[in-house]
Amino acid sequence: MNLLTRGIIKDNQDCKCGFCGEEEEDSKHLFLECSMVRWIWRACAKWWGINVTLGADCWNTFQVTGRELKEKGVREGWDCIWNSLVWTVWLARNQKTFQGKEFNREKLLELIQLKSFQWITAKKERYAFTLTDWFLNPVACLEDGLRKRRVPYK
Ligand SMILES: [Zn+2]
């Protein structure tokens, strides 16, 4: 029984994804299958210089995408991207659904980059890179932070 048959929503259009308007919205569509969100995943992967294979569900995708990154600090950084992508898409979906606010995919990518920068630099004091550095080469930023950690304290 879906939301329509249970009387929670009034017509079938209410079930459609707010981003693409083509498919019924559920978590798999919203975070993995929506054409707009797939573009964002590909853009994040290109930004990181990695391949991203979207899995059968969100948890599977989280595990699969992190597995390719061997360096723990870099993997932590990618986890941060993953979390900020899901969080940003969810907030944008809610703002569109409940406030009618429009987002384009480039704006969402920028928000993901900014949010992940704020989260990663707040979490690790050794990551002393700028927002510009993060936008240009996030992996180099994380690798630099890892090298600093390995230098013995004098
Ligand atoms: Zn969609």
Side-chain angles (χ1 to χ4, degrees), residues 76-95:
E76 280 178 355
W78 175 254
D79 291 351
C80 183
I81 299 298
W82 197 96
N83 287 320
S84 63
L85 187 154
V86 171
W87 183 241
T88 300
V89 166
W90 179 246
L91 290 181
R93 176 261 182 213
N94 287 343
Q95 288 178 335

Side-chain angles (χ1 to χ4, degrees), residues 16-25 29-30 33-37:
K16 298 288 184 189
C17 170
F19 291 132
C20 68
E22 297 167 5
E23 301 288 332
E24 188 170 329
E25 183 192 273
H29 175 80
L30 182 63
E33 296 174 342
C34 181
S35 56
M36 186 167 109
V37 176

Side-chain angles (χ1 to χ4, degrees), residues 115-132:
K115 195 177 311 277
S116 60
F117 170 79
Q118 292 169 330
W119 284 355
I120 200 82
T121 54
K123 189 175 161 187
K124 307 279 184 186
E125 67 281 350
R126 68 177 177 274
Y127 294 142
F129 42 80
T130 65
L131 180 59
T132 301

